[in-house]
Each structure stands twice: as structure tokens, then as C-alpha cells.
Amino acid sequence: MQRTTHWWQEAVVYQVYPRSFADSNGDGIGDIKGIQSRVPHLAELGVDALWLSPHYVSPMLDAGYDVADYRDVDPIFGNLSDFQELINTLHSSGIKLLVDIVPNHTSWEHAWFKEALAHPPVNDPTVAPLTRYSEGPWARYHLLRGRKNGTIEPNEWPSVFGGLTWHEVPDAAGQPSGWWYLHIFDKSQPDLDWTNPEVRSEFLGHLKFWFDMGVDGFRIDVAHGLAKAEGYPDFTTPKPGDPTNHVAYWDQDPVHEIWREWREVAEQYDPPRVFVAEAWVGPAERNALYLRDDELHTGFNFPYLTAAWNGKALRRIIDDSLEGNHLVGAPTTWVLENHDVWRAATRYAPLATGEEAASLDGNLDISKSADWSVPRDLVIGVKRARAGIMTMLGLPGTAYIYQGQELGLEEVFDIPDAMRQDPAFANTGGENLGRDGCRVPLPWDNTSNTFGFNSGSESWLPQPSRWAEQTAAAQNDVASSTLNLVRSALKLRRSLAALGGITSDAVDLVWDETPSDIVSFVRPARLDGQAIRIVMNMGKTAYELPAGELLLSSDSDAVVAGSLAPHSAAWLKA
Ligand code: NOJ
Ligand code: CA
């Protein structure tokens, strides 16, 4: 069995959310020089690549997922030369760099959208509802005539951030024009029209700009959203678990042409550059279409990210993901946290009443679907998060770690309303708490009031005082800390041939026969002849482990007399 040929088939990728990672100049917002200063942390952790959430010029109304200039760095983060220096430092530490790209929409401060607003449409009562206005600069966006003589939105499409997806533009006299532009997300994020060749070629230029600077690849924001159903038809929102796609702006077939063009650009480089898709698409066979070998290299595994603490469900998701990707020969990815969902320690925590929390059913509206006000048992939550990351790192393919996950951080709820910045909070009148709770600046050490996030006393979101004991520096000195566990797991993963070596025809894993709340599988032997068994106990009673030398366990008391405690995981020689 041969080892993999491409780094992205089995990499460990660390996500940096720049405004919350490290702040070099004390303005309360993380920046590129801050990231630069913490590269040693990433090198010591042992990750292969860094994925950087948007660093582009932006009014930051959706934390940079609203881009005003795709070819420059936002001044709050630094400048192009800081960015080039970061690439060089990462590369000389053996770490690749993936950056985010946001092609579905621009910011309303993008030159294209400002140009469009400078060409106001005329309010003409004879125009039929849903008529498209594509004069001049409006051809790059979706501007449609509203219903009822233009007075209401063109259709009933719901926005991901609350309300409908339409916003009316004023006419030349500043009066309502009866014309509305499409925004699947916030109104400050107008959707681009990807049937327009100018839009397509402009983005190919953006890709080349960053590839030429040395970035190794892109994470593509909303990769399933760029094509809209013809005629803008209404639809019913899919029910959780319903695999049929009813949504007229998700997963429409023409989107694949775009990815084929992008792949051609990536292949022109040596070594070829890579893509990872943010595509919330089910079922696994539909998702696999994005990963055909002339499209995107990998895609995030959202069923895995949103699964509840349940052995049977998790095994099914692992099998589905592997089978789905095998259809197209693509490696699988695994992820337990990112900047859009609750941190694993909180998500996995049982309710204080002892009941298990519900799964998220693939729902991005996490704060709506999971009731944050119900107290949870975080001691168990953290144990499960530790077991969860170990299991994820034992699975075949690429694993993503979100900044702070290596510290076992929990979701933060005690943020004053006035400080919340996620548009989802304001747009739903606070019903959806939004995603700020997983975006709180990292605690590095106890050298300042912001736990070393900067040398000052303020950060853009407040950090809980209890984090004094969870800083990276504090955990560095405690052998059993989450930080040291993740470091050990990454080191071991690198040294064990069985945990790498993904090829499309290889046997990825062999399940053990176990009770339903045990997740237990063997990664077959490769170069060094050693097979590895990964076991996680998602049940309530201890589980007797099969024979085999214990290599790593998720807690110091996880394995006692050959039994694996609940909420724990172990790696053994098989
Ligand atoms: C997905 C990103 O992960 C999220 O943070 C953002 O708000 C939306 N796409 C819109 O760009
Ligand atoms: Ca700063």
C-alpha cells in the first residue's frame, strides 16, 4: 500500500479567525502581525496548514465575509507586505496557507455595487413582477422588480440571517424604485450573478493574484450557492432530515461549471493549488459531485460537524461520508468546530438535567436550534470534546481544527447584547444569538487583561475571567491539559503510517463489532506494518477494550484496568 501523494489528502488544517487570534498593535482586533507572532504555537502543535478566514478589505458587517476589495488586506489586519511575510514565515516552518474566498456575494461597499447604486433604476408601474434589470453595472448582481407594483419583495426567499433575501434600491430621486436586489445573507452582502462572464473572469483574476503571492489554496465560501434557479421560483424550506433539495439558491447544477474553470487555474501552478468547499449539501452523493477530479479537491463534512453525541449516528455519518466520497475517489474531511457553530465542548455537553442535547440536523442557525439558556454539564462536555478530537484525528483524510479547540474552549454566552456583532443577532431581533460566542479572542497567557491576546486591556469581544486557567501558557505546563493532548495526538498521527496513506482504492477503516454507543475501528497496517485501533466510548458505562498496547487516551483516567470510561477515547495497537 503506498503513501499518499498529495499533502491535502491527509493534512491537519488549523483555522485562524484573524480578528480573534492575536492582536499585535493593541487596538483590540487580531491582525496579521499577531498571527505571525504565534506561528511557533502552530509549529509546535504540529499542523500542516493554516486556513485563514477573510483578510480582505471589508466594512466588516459580517466579519470580513463581506468583501469590498478582493486584492488587498484590510487595514485593521495589516497590509500586503505583512501578508507576504506571513506566507514566508509559514512556509519556512513547513506550514501551507489556505485563504478564504467569498464569491457568492460582494460587500455593498465593493466598487461594483457602488457603481450599480450610482445607476438607479426607474420606477415603472408597467413592468411585471420578477422582471430582471440588467442595465450597465446591475448586470453583475440580481436586481428584480418587486411584486404588487414593486412594493413588496420579488419572491419569498428567506435570508440565512433572518427576513427575506431582498432589499429595495432607491430611484434617482431617492424614492422607492420598486426594484430589489438579492442577498442570501445580510443586506450588506449583495449576491453576484454568476451567469455573467465578467464576474467569472474577474474571480479567476483574484485566484491568480493570491496564488502568485504563494498561497497554497482557497477555502470557498458558500460553494453551493452561486447558481440560482432560473425564474427565481419560490420553494418550501426543507424539513430536517429531508434529503431533497427544495431551495432554489442552493446546490443548483450550473454551479459545477464554475468549479471546473477554477480547477483549471489551480492546475496551472506547480505544485497545483487546492480548494476546499464550504458546501452544505446532502445527501453524500450530491456532495460528492463537488469533489469530482476536475472540480474541488475536498469539501467540509457538515454532517460530522453537526452530529450529536450518539455512537450510532456518528458511525452512520462516517460510513456515508466515506462511501459518498469513494464514488468520486475524493478524500474525506472531518471537522468538529468552526467560526459558525458552537464549540464542541458546549455542543457535546449533556444538559444539566442529564438529558442529551439534540443534534443540529445540519443547521447553520445553531443558536436558534439549540437552546443556549438551558444549563449544560461542561465537565462532561470538555471530556467529550477531547475524545472527539482524538477520534477525528484517527479517521482517514484531512482534519480541521478551529483556533482554541486545542485549548478545549467552550462557547461563550455572557456577551452583552450591545457588543454582539454577528448580523444574525440583530436581523432576528436577538432570537438567534448569532455566532459571536465561538469568536471570542483567544487566551494566550496571563500577561495582560486580555490574556495575552494583546498587551492592552481590551478585546473586541470580552473574554470570560475563568479563561485564566485555560490559557495556552497555563496548559503548556500541565501534562494532562487539552493542549498537550492535541499536541501528542498530532505527533503520533504523523508517526503512525496507518493513520495516513489515503488512496481512493484503499481500505479506509474496518469497524469492530461493539455495542451501539461505542465507536471502534481499525486503521489497517501500511508501511510500518502496524494497524491502529481507535475507540471512543459514547455510552454511560465503562467498555472493556480489546487487547493491544495503549498509545494515547483522552484523559489520565480514561483507561482503568483495560476499560475505557464513558466520554473517553483511546488509540491502541491493533
Ligand atoms: C459562510 C461563512 O462561514 C459565514 O461565516 C458567513 O457568514 C457566510 N458564509 C456568508 O458569507
Ligand atoms: Ca490589531
PDB file of all heavy atoms in Angstrom, residues 23-25 27 29-31 76, ligand 2:
ATOM      1  N   ASP A  23      -3.529  39.970  18.621  1.00  0.00           N
ATOM      2  CA  ASP A  23      -3.571  41.388  18.253  1.00  0.00           C
ATOM      3  C   ASP A  23      -2.206  42.025  18.542  1.00  0.00           C
ATOM      4  O   ASP A  23      -1.809  42.126  19.697  1.00  0.00           O
ATOM      5  CB  ASP A  23      -4.685  42.044  19.092  1.00  0.00           C
ATOM      6  CG  ASP A  23      -4.709  43.561  18.972  1.00  0.00           C
ATOM      7  OD1 ASP A  23      -4.149  44.101  18.006  1.00  0.00           O
ATOM      8  OD2 ASP A  23      -5.313  44.199  19.872  1.00  0.00           O
ATOM      9  N   SER A  24      -1.512  42.451  17.489  1.00  0.00           N
ATOM     10  CA  SER A  24      -0.136  42.954  17.683  1.00  0.00           C
ATOM     11  C   SER A  24      -0.076  44.424  18.089  1.00  0.00           C
ATOM     12  O   SER A  24       0.895  44.857  18.677  1.00  0.00           O
ATOM     13  CB  SER A  24       0.679  42.757  16.400  1.00  0.00           C
ATOM     14  OG  SER A  24       0.235  43.668  15.404  1.00  0.00           O
ATOM     15  N   ASN A  25      -1.124  45.209  17.744  1.00  0.00           N
ATOM     16  CA  ASN A  25      -0.987  46.652  17.981  1.00  0.00           C
ATOM     17  C   ASN A  25      -1.951  47.189  19.035  1.00  0.00           C
ATOM     18  O   ASN A  25      -2.086  48.399  19.198  1.00  0.00           O
ATOM     19  CB  ASN A  25      -1.167  47.425  16.660  1.00  0.00           C
ATOM     20  CG  ASN A  25      -2.556  47.230  16.082  1.00  0.00           C
ATOM     21  OD1 ASN A  25      -3.339  46.428  16.589  1.00  0.00           O
ATOM     22  ND2 ASN A  25      -2.875  47.972  15.041  1.00  0.00           N
ATOM     23  N   ASP A  27      -5.197  47.361  19.333  1.00  0.00           N
ATOM     24  CA  ASP A  27      -6.475  48.028  19.049  1.00  0.00           C
ATOM     25  C   ASP A  27      -7.674  47.135  19.372  1.00  0.00           C
ATOM     26  O   ASP A  27      -8.818  47.501  19.114  1.00  0.00           O
ATOM     27  CB  ASP A  27      -6.537  48.525  17.593  1.00  0.00           C
ATOM     28  CG  ASP A  27      -6.509  47.370  16.591  1.00  0.00           C
ATOM     29  OD1 ASP A  27      -6.379  46.202  17.034  1.00  0.00           O
ATOM     30  OD2 ASP A  27      -6.613  47.624  15.385  1.00  0.00           O
ATOM     31  N   ILE A  29      -8.318  44.195  18.086  1.00  0.00           N
ATOM     32  CA  ILE A  29      -8.689  43.303  16.980  1.00  0.00           C
ATOM     33  C   ILE A  29      -7.444  42.554  16.496  1.00  0.00           C
ATOM     34  O   ILE A  29      -6.390  43.169  16.265  1.00  0.00           O
ATOM     35  CB  ILE A  29      -9.319  44.111  15.821  1.00  0.00           C
ATOM     36  CG1 ILE A  29     -10.595  44.792  16.339  1.00  0.00           C
ATOM     37  CG2 ILE A  29      -9.643  43.214  14.634  1.00  0.00           C
ATOM     38  CD1 ILE A  29     -11.236  45.731  15.366  1.00  0.00           C
ATOM     39  N   GLY A  30      -7.557  41.274  16.363  1.00  0.00           N
ATOM     40  CA  GLY A  30      -6.432  40.466  15.906  1.00  0.00           C
ATOM     41  C   GLY A  30      -5.971  40.903  14.523  1.00  0.00           C
ATOM     42  O   GLY A  30      -6.732  41.514  13.772  1.00  0.00           O
ATOM     43  N   ASP A  31      -4.726  40.604  14.179  1.00  0.00           N
ATOM     44  CA  ASP A  31      -4.177  41.062  12.904  1.00  0.00           C
ATOM     45  C   ASP A  31      -3.098  40.106  12.401  1.00  0.00           C
ATOM     46  O   ASP A  31      -2.760  39.132  13.066  1.00  0.00           O
ATOM     47  CB  ASP A  31      -3.647  42.495  13.050  1.00  0.00           C
ATOM     48  CG  ASP A  31      -2.832  42.659  14.326  1.00  0.00           C
ATOM     49  OD1 ASP A  31      -1.933  41.830  14.542  1.00  0.00           O
ATOM     50  OD2 ASP A  31      -3.118  43.586  15.119  1.00  0.00           O
ATOM     51  N   ILE A  76      -7.232  47.047   9.118  1.00  0.00           N
ATOM     52  CA  ILE A  76      -7.230  46.611  10.534  1.00  0.00           C
ATOM     53  C   ILE A  76      -6.385  45.347  10.712  1.00  0.00           C
ATOM     54  O   ILE A  76      -5.914  45.064  11.802  1.00  0.00           O
ATOM     55  CB  ILE A  76      -8.630  46.398  11.163  1.00  0.00           C
ATOM     56  CG1 ILE A  76      -9.392  45.276  10.494  1.00  0.00           C
ATOM     57  CG2 ILE A  76      -9.438  47.657  11.281  1.00  0.00           C
ATOM     58  CD1 ILE A  76     -10.547  44.769  11.356  1.00  0.00           C
TER      59      ILE A  76
HETATM   60 CA    CA B   2      -4.853  44.807  15.911  1.00  0.00          CA
END
